[in-house]
């Protein structure tokens, strides 16, 4: 092999490695969506039957989320229910929602998000991790006392 052939192969290898490195770099640093839930568990009627969740679901990632929907799964006898929707949540945006649940479902209820990442024409819908209602939403003092009373009666 002569020098010209060897240098061509070396240049092709360097070019291939550069393209591979650039593709890997852009994939590694792609914008991602990440979710957080905040809000409170309340009992405006002061009974021990129904609780209201006044909540917010925020996109604190660095990517846009399209076709966003917030879902709740209360317990085994209920199906998942969509409680809020938005066509687009940019980083830093949030989606407000309000829903109710039975007092006995608080320990098992979960909320989660479904969304489509960009570009939406080539991506399928994604589902977030499930967040427990009891740990994500702050109970009001009245609800907190009811929850403690309920837990002590089950022990």
């Amino acid at each position: 092999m002569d020098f010209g052939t060897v240098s061509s192969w070396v240049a092709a290898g360097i070019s291939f490695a550069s393209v591979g490195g650039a593709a890997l770099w852009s994939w590694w640093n792609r914008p991602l969506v990440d979710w957080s839930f905040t809000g409170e568990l309340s009992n405006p009627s002061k009974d021990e039957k129904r609780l209201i969740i006044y909540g917010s679901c925020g996109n604190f990632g660095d990517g846009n989320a399209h076709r966003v929907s917030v879902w709740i799964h209360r317990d085994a006898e209920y199906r998942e229910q969509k409680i809020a929707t938005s066509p687009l949540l940019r980083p830093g945006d949030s989606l407000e929602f309000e829903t109710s649940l039975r007092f006995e479902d608080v320990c098992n209820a979960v909320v989660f998000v479904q969304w489509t990442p960009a570009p939406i024409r080539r991506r399928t819908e994604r589902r977030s991790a499930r967040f427990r209602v009891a740990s994500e939403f702050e109970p009001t003092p009245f609800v907190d006392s009811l929850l403690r009373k309920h837990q002590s009666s089950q022990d």
Side-chain angles (χ1 to χ4, degrees), residues 37-53:
F37 284 93
T38 58
E40 75 174 16
L41 281 171
S42 181
N43 186 299
S45 62
K46 302 290 187 212
D47 63 6
E48 295 186 18
K49 295 182 177 156
R50 282 254 183 255
L51 295 174
I52 306 293
I53 300 173

Side-chain angles (χ1 to χ4, degrees), residues 23-43:
L24 182 64
W25 181 263
S26 64
W27 175 82
W28 188 265
N29 291 315
R30 71 193 182 281
L32 295 174
V33 175
D34 209 351
W35 303 105
S36 70
F37 284 93
T38 58
E40 75 174 16
L41 281 171
S42 181
N43 186 299

Side-chain angles (χ1 to χ4, degrees), residues 33-38 55-60 64-73 80-89 93-97 110-117 124-132 136-137:
V33 175
D34 209 351
W35 303 105
S36 70
F37 284 93
T38 58
S56 172
C57 172
N59 174 6
F60 70 94
N64 291 334
H66 301 270
R67 300 180 191 141
V68 178
S69 57
V70 178
W71 294 74
I72 187 167
H73 185 94
E80 296 167 345
Q81 180 187 8
K82 189 185 303 185
I83 55 177
T85 60
S86 175
L88 173 67
L89 279 184
D93 289 351
S94 63
L95 178 60
E96 306 294 322
F97 60 90
V110 293
V111 290
F112 60 93
V113 182
Q114 285 185 316
W115 80 99
T116 305
T124 58
E125 197 169 64
R126 304 249 172 104
R127 183 179 279 199
S128 73
R130 292 174 174 254
F131 298 87
R132 291 210 166 276
E136 294 297 319
F137 300 100

